[in-house]
């Protein structure tokens, strides 16, 4: 469930952190909240834009990720992260 994942992201900050793979790249999640959503495949990126942040479907609900980091990069708000690493239409594993 998205609520459990959101709590784990908070609990594991800053170490060891929480991450997921996107196109063979580990993306670290720093800040997220659980939200309600329709019927999507878990891991599917529902939205990825400056207004919504990164919305990822979970088994129950969705995770709105508002702060992310790619390997070797800085911790960034979703709007800034998406300028250099588009996620729209992709899938996390």
């Amino acid at each position: 469930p998205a609520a459990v994942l959101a709590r784990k992201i908070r609990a594991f900050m800053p170490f060891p952190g929480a991450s997921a793979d996107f196109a063979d790249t580990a993306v670290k999640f720093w800040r997220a909240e659980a939200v309600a959503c329709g019927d999507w495949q878990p891991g599917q990126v529902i939205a990825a834009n400056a207004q919504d942040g990164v919305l990822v479907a979970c088994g129950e609900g969705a995770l709105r990720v508002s702060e992310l980091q790619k390997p070797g990069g800085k911790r960034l708000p979703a709007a800034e992260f998406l300028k250099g690493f588009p996620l729209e239409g992709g899938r996390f594993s």
Side-chain angles (χ1 to χ4, degrees), residues 17-88:
S19 65
D21 290 333
F22 185 88
D24 296 328
T25 301
V27 176
K28 194 166 193 177
F29 297 158
W30 285 99
R31 191 173 313 273
E33 65 177 325
V35 295
C37 82
D39 190 28
W40 295 82
Q41 289 289 336
Q44 183 69 39
V45 177
I46 300 168
N49 57 57
Q51 291 175 319
D52 298 322
V54 178
L55 194 60
V56 182
C58 298
E60 286 180 26
L63 200 59
R64 182 183 315 277
V65 186
S66 56
E67 199 170 5
L68 306 97
Q69 180 180 10
K70 61 184 175 180
K74 293 193 302 186
R75 181 176 165 177
L76 297 170
E80 294 296 315
F81 180 87
L82 292 169
K83 289 179 182 177
F85 198 90
L87 299 172
E88 189 70 48

